[in-house]
C-alpha cells in the first residue's frame, strides 16, 4: 500500500507541487488581504476621526469669528458715527443755527458718506477677521494633528495676531471716512435737495460713488492691506511670542488680502450690500407716509394721496426727503431675538466670504497624516 502511494505521489508530483503552491499562495493572499483590509479600516477610521475633529474645530473657529466680529462691529459703527458729523449737523438744523441751506447741503453729503463708510468698513472687518481666524485656526489644527509644538500658537500669540485689526479701527477707518466724504461730495454736489429722484436714480448715485472710488488709487477694496494692517512689522512689539512665526503669518495674511481673489470677492459683496440698501429704501417708496422721520426733519408729514402709489419705479421723491431715511439706516440695535444687526449680518451670510474662510482653513490645516 505504501509502495502504491509513493508511486501515485511520484506520478502526480507536479500536480501536488502546483497545488501546494496555489494553496500556499491562496493562504498568503488571504492573510495579505485581511491585513490590508484591517489597515484600510484603520486608515478610514483615522481619517473619519480627523475629519470629525476638523469639522468640529472649524465650526468652533467660525463661531469665535462671528462673536469677535459682533463685539467689534459696534465699536466700528460708533467710531464712524463720531467721525462723520451728521448728528451735530442735525442738532444745528433743529436749533436753527447757521445757514440752513448750507447745513442741509453738508448733511446730504455726510449722510451718504456715513452709509458708504459703514458698508465698506463693515465688509472689510468681516473679511480680515474671517481670514485671520481661519488662517490661525488651520495652523493650530495642523500642528495639533502633527503632534508638534502646540505652544507656538498660545493665547498670547493669538492676541497679538488678532490685535492687528486695532490698526484698522484706529487709523484705517478714519482714512476711509475721509475718502468717502471726498467721493460722495463729488457725486452729489450737482444734485439739488429739491430734485426728485426715483429708486433707480438712488441706485445710480450709489453706483457712481463706487465707480468714483474704483478710479481712485486709494480705493479701499483695491488696497485692503493698506487700511487693515499696520505698515511695518516691529519685532519688539511682539514680546513673548515667536517673532519669526508672527512675521510669517502676518506676511501670509498680507498676501491673501492683496490677492485678486479677495479683491473680486470684496467687489462682489459691496455691490450686494448697496443692493440691500436700495431694497430697504424701496419700502419708503411703497408708502411715502411711512416716512415718519419727515415730521422730525421737516415739521410735516406726507399727504394722504401719497398712499395711491403702487408702481415704485414711477415714484419720485425729493432728495431732501430721502436723506433722513438713509441717515436712519443701520442705526437700530439688534433685536432681542437677533445676535447681529442687519448692517453686519448681511456680510456674515454672504456665501463667497464664508467659502473663502472655509478654503483658507482647509489649506492651512492640511496634514499628510
Amino acid at each position: 500500500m505504501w509502495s502504491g502511494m509513493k508511486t501515485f505521489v511520484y506520478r502526480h508530483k507536479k500536480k501536488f507541487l502546483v497545488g501546494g503552491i496555489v494553496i500556499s499562495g491562496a493562504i498568503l493572499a488571504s492573510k495579505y488581504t485581511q491585513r490590508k483590509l484591517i489597515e484600510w479600516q484603520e486608515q478610514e477610521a483615522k481619517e473619519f476621526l480627523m475629519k470629525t475633529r476638523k469639522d468640529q474645530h472649524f465650526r468652533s473657529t467660525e463661531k469665535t469669528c462671528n462673536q469677535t466680529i459682533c463685539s467689534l462691529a459696534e465699536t466700528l459703527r460708533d467710531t464712524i458715527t463720531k467721525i462723520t458729523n451728521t448728528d451735530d449737523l442735525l442738532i444745528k438744523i433743529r436749533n436753527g443755527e447757521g445757514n440752513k441751506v448750507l447745513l442741509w447741503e453738508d448733511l446730504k453729503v455726510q449722510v451718504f458718506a456715513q452709509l458708504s463708510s459703514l458698508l465698506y468698513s463693515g465688509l472689510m472687518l468681516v473679511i480680515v477677521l474671517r481670514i485671520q481666524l481661519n488662517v490661525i485656526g488651520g495652523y493650530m489644527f495642523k500642528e495639533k494633528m502633527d503632534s508638534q509644538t502646540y505652544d507656538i500658537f498660545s493665547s498670547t500669540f493669538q492676541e497679538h495676531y488678532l490685535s492687528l485689526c486695532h490698526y484698522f479701527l484706529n487709523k484705517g477707518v478714519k482714512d476711509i471716512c475721509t475718502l468717502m466724504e471726498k467721493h460722495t461730495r463729488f457725486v452729489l454736489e450737482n444734485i439739488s435737495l429739491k430734485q426728485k429722484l426715483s429708486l433707480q436714480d438712488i441706485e445710480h448715485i450709489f453706483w457712481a460713488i463706487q465707480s468714483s472710488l474704483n478710479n481712485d488709487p486709494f480705493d479701499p477694496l483695491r488696497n485692503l492691506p493698506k487700511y487693515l494692517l499696520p505698515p511695518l512689522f516691529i519685532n519688539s512689539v511682539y514680546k513673548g511670542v515667536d517673532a519669526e512665526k508672527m512675521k510669517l503669518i502676518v506676511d501670509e495674511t498680507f498676501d491673501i488680502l492683496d490677492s485678486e481673489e479677495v479683491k473680486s470677492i470684496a467687489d462682489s459683496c459691496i455691490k450686494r450690500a448697496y443692493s440691500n440698501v436700495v431694497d430697504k429704501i424701496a419700502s419708503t417708496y411703497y408708502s411715502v407716509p411711512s416716512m415718519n422721520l419727515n415730521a422730525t426733519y421737516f415739521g410735516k408729514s406726507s399727504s394722504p394721496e401719497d398712499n395711491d402709489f403702487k408702481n415704485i419705479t414711477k415714484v419720485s421723491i425729493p432728495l431732501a426727503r430721502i436723506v433722513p431715511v438713509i441717515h436712519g439706516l443701520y442705526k437700530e440695535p439688534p433685536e432681542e431675538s437677533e445676535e447681529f444687526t442687519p448692517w453686519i449680518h448681511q456680510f456674515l451670510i454672504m456665501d463667497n466670504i464664508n467659502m473663502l474662510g472655509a478654503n483658507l482653513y482647509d489649506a492651512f490645516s492640511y496634514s499628510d497624516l
Side-chain angles (χ1 to χ4, degrees):
M1 184 179 68
W2 287 108
S3 177
M5 289 183 64
K6 287 181 179 180
T7 302
F8 177 80
V9 171
Y10 181 78
R11 275 191 281 118
H12 298 283
K13 64 179 181 179
K14 289 185 178 180
K15 293 181 180 178
F16 279 109
L17 181 62
V18 172
I21 293 173
V22 171
I23 292 172
S24 299
I27 294 173
L28 291 173
S30 176
K31 290 183 177 180
Y32 177 80
T33 302
Q34 289 178 352
R35 182 160 56 86
K36 285 297 181 183
L37 179 60
I38 293 172
E39 290 177 357
W40 177 79
Q41 289 175 337
E42 290 176 348
Q43 182 65 25
E44 284 292 305
K46 185 177 181 180
E47 290 180 357
F48 176 78
L49 181 60
M50 188 180 77
K51 185 177 185 300
T52 301
R53 289 178 177 176
K54 189 174 182 179
D55 288 343
Q56 290 175 345
H57 189 257
F58 174 71
R59 287 195 294 268
S60 176
T61 300
E62 288 292 282
K63 183 178 179 180
T64 301
C65 182
N66 289 340
Q67 290 174 342
T68 305
I69 291 171
C70 180
S71 63
L72 294 179
E74 294 303 312
T75 301
L76 176 62
R77 186 169 61 179
D78 291 343
T79 300
I80 293 174
T81 302
K82 290 178 182 179
I83 294 173
T84 53
N85 62 344
T86 54
D87 291 335
D88 293 339
L89 290 171
L90 286 173
I91 292 174
K92 290 181 180 180
I93 290 173
R94 289 166 181 164
N95 294 338
E97 302 176 13
N99 188 311
K100 191 173 182 179
V101 175
L102 293 179
L103 289 173
W104 267 99
E105 287 292 336
D106 198 19
L107 179 65
K108 171 186 71 176
V109 172
Q110 295 297 336
V111 162
F112 277 86
Q114 185 180 81
L115 175 64
S116 295
S117 298
L118 279 170
L119 294 182
Y120 273 78
S121 298
L123 170 60
M124 293 165 70
L125 178 69
V126 172
I127 287 178
V128 70
L129 287 177
R130 191 72 76 196
I131 290 173
Q132 285 185 282
L133 266 298
N134 281 288
V135 166
I136 198 168
Y139 265 128
M140 291 172 64
F141 182 82
K142 181 180 184 300
E143 299 215 352
K144 184 178 181 180
M145 290 296 101
D146 290 347
S147 299
Q148 296 178 5
T149 304
Y150 196 56
D151 292 336
I152 292 179
F153 298 104
S154 62
S155 58
T156 303
F157 187 98
Q158 296 175 53
E159 289 174 6
H160 281 310
Y161 176 56
L162 296 176
S163 67
L164 293 174
C165 66
H166 290 166
Y167 172 81
F168 171 61
L169 295 173
N170 296 327
K171 177 68 168 60
V173 172
K174 294 179 182 179
D175 294 338
I176 289 174
C177 290
T178 301
L179 192 67
M180 290 300 167
E181 181 181 351
K182 169 187 172 183
H183 287 278
T184 52
R185 191 174 298 278
F186 171 76
V187 171
L188 293 168
E189 62 182 353
N190 293 323
I191 302 179
S192 170
L193 285 162
K194 297 180 180 179
Q195 183 174 336
K196 291 186 176 181
L197 303 175
S198 65
L199 197 60
Q200 187 176 7
D201 294 328
I202 298 297
E203 193 172 15
H204 180 77
I205 289 175
F206 291 140
W207 174 84
I209 293 173
Q210 295 174 72
S211 298
S212 182
L213 282 166
N214 287 338
N215 294 324
D216 193 309
F218 297 105
D219 173 20
L221 301 188
R222 298 289 175 184
N223 300 274
L224 289 171
K226 168 182 168 57
Y227 294 93
L228 293 170
L229 300 178
L232 295 174
F233 177 86
I234 305 174
N235 290 350
S236 60
V237 176
Y238 303 104
K239 293 181 179 179
V241 300
D242 187 332
E244 291 185 4
K245 193 71 173 179
M246 178 64 73
K247 186 177 188 308
L248 172 63
I249 197 172
V250 170
D251 289 343
E252 287 174 331
T253 304
F254 183 100
D255 292 339
I256 294 169
L257 287 169
D258 202 38
S259 67
E260 290 301 321
E261 178 184 1
V262 171
K263 292 176 184 178
S264 177
I265 289 174
D267 185 63
S268 172
C269 289
I270 199 64
K271 289 177 181 177
R272 287 180 59 187
Y274 274 113
S275 179
N276 292 339
V277 170
V278 174
D279 290 340
K280 285 181 173 292
I281 297 175
S283 62
T284 67
Y285 279 75
Y286 280 110
S287 179
V288 177
S290 66
M291 297 168 60
N292 294 327
L293 286 173
N294 289 342
T296 301
Y297 287 85
F298 301 94
K300 61 179 180 180
S301 60
S302 303
S303 58
E305 59 269 20
D306 288 338
N307 288 321
D308 296 334
F309 290 136
K310 298 296 181 182
N311 187 351
I312 62 171
T313 60
K314 297 181 180 180
V315 177
S316 295
I317 301 176
L319 176 58
R321 298 180 65 179
I322 299 173
V323 167
V325 176
I326 295 177
H327 181 256
L329 290 177
Y330 302 129
K331 294 296 177 64
E332 70 282 3
E335 298 181 3
E336 293 183 2
S337 59
E338 297 178 345
E339 185 178 3
F340 305 100
T341 62
W343 159 62
I344 204 70
H345 185 257
Q346 62 181 329
F347 299 119
L348 294 178
I349 61 175
M350 289 184 179
D351 292 337
N352 43 8
I353 296 180
N354 292 325
M355 185 62 68
L356 171 67
N359 290 339
L360 287 172
Y361 181 89
D362 190 58
F364 283 91
S365 64
Y366 177 78
S367 175
D368 294 330
L369 292 179

